Amino acid sequence: MELADVDAVLFDMDGTLVDSDAAVERAWERWASEYAVEPAAALAIAHGRPADQTIRRLLPALDDAAVAVAAGRQLALQYDDLSDVTATPGAHELLSALPRLGLPWAVVTSADVRLAQARLCAAGIAAPVLVTVEDVRAGKPDPEGYLRAAALLDVSPSRCLVVEDAEVGVRAGRAAGAMTAALKGLDGDLRLVDLTHLAYGLAAAAAR
């Protein structure tokens, strides 16, 4: 599939549209200290995954109820930590271009709705369609979130472009049957320096 064939764009949130890396790391480091987990071990696997998935890998002895409590604590550490949360480079340029190009878009995130709305608001982004961890049974790398977003936009997943900055997200996009665009040196169908790169690419494809 080429960019000219894209009918909708599906974005990850943290690290893709919203620069929240520092806040995410602070929350996991504090959580790790509270739960006697090596912070580096948490940070190595947390990015892009729902909190409960990460916690099950870090603390496999916990039962479901304890995992839920631990995941709730991890999210609570993030809700009010918005001081340095901003839009990523090129995000506003790209999002303003999509309506002109006739491309609907959605956000698919492993955050819950409260955290997603807080971070998007802090970054000055209003998502027309938002799929959170509360809307799916299985988080990334499962494709359910991206499949749900495509259905909400009434676009075939095979005509969607998934934009990600985490390996689990790229895997989810591929599993959904979408074309993938990857940031931070990841191996997507398209490798992006930043979102400005994608804005130019989509505009050029539409002009052909």
Side-chain angles (χ1 to χ4, degrees), residues 16-73:
T16 298
L17 282 180
V18 176
D19 183 355
S20 56
D21 288 356
V24 170
E25 290 180 6
R26 286 193 297 268
W28 276 109
E29 287 169 352
R30 183 170 173 186
W31 179 92
S33 70
E34 294 178 4
Y35 279 82
V37 170
E38 176 60 42
L43 293 174
I45 63 172
H47 189 58
R49 296 180 186 273
D52 62 340
Q53 282 189 18
T54 299
I55 290 164
R56 287 182 192 281
R57 293 183 62 181
L58 293 168
L59 299 171
L62 294 185
D63 61 21
D64 289 348
V67 167
V69 170
R73 174 56 179 159

Side-chain angles (χ1 to χ4, degrees), residues 65-181:
V67 167
V69 170
R73 174 56 179 159
Q74 208 289 322
L75 287 171
L77 291 169
Q78 299 188 49
Y79 288 140
D80 299 320
D81 189 355
L82 302 171
S83 60
D84 51 3
V85 173
T86 61
T88 56
H92 286 299
E93 179 181 355
L94 173 56
L95 296 179
S96 66
L98 293 180
R100 297 196 301 270
L101 298 172
L103 294 174
W105 61 279
V107 173
V108 179
T109 176
S110 295
D112 66 6
V113 67
R114 176 180 170 185
L115 182 59
Q117 290 177 340
R119 285 191 175 150
L120 289 168
C121 182
I125 294 171
V129 172
L130 176 62
V131 177
T132 73
V133 70
E134 295 165 307
D135 298 313
V136 298
R137 291 166 296 179
K140 301 171 188 178
D142 191 279
E144 183 182 358
Y146 283 121
L147 293 173
R148 179 175 176 82
L152 290 171
L153 294 178
D154 196 24
V155 176
S156 169
S158 65
R159 304 283 294 187
C160 291
L161 176 67
V162 165
V163 187
E164 273 280 357
D165 77 314
E167 180 60 33
V168 291
V170 173
R171 286 165 54 196
R174 285 179 174 151
M179 182 180 180
T180 59

Side-chain angles (χ1 to χ4, degrees), residues 1-16:
M1 187 166 102
E2 303 292 334
L3 281 179
D5 300 318
V6 169
D7 289 338
V9 184
L10 311 179
F11 294 97
D12 171 54
M13 183 182 72
D14 290 310
T16 298

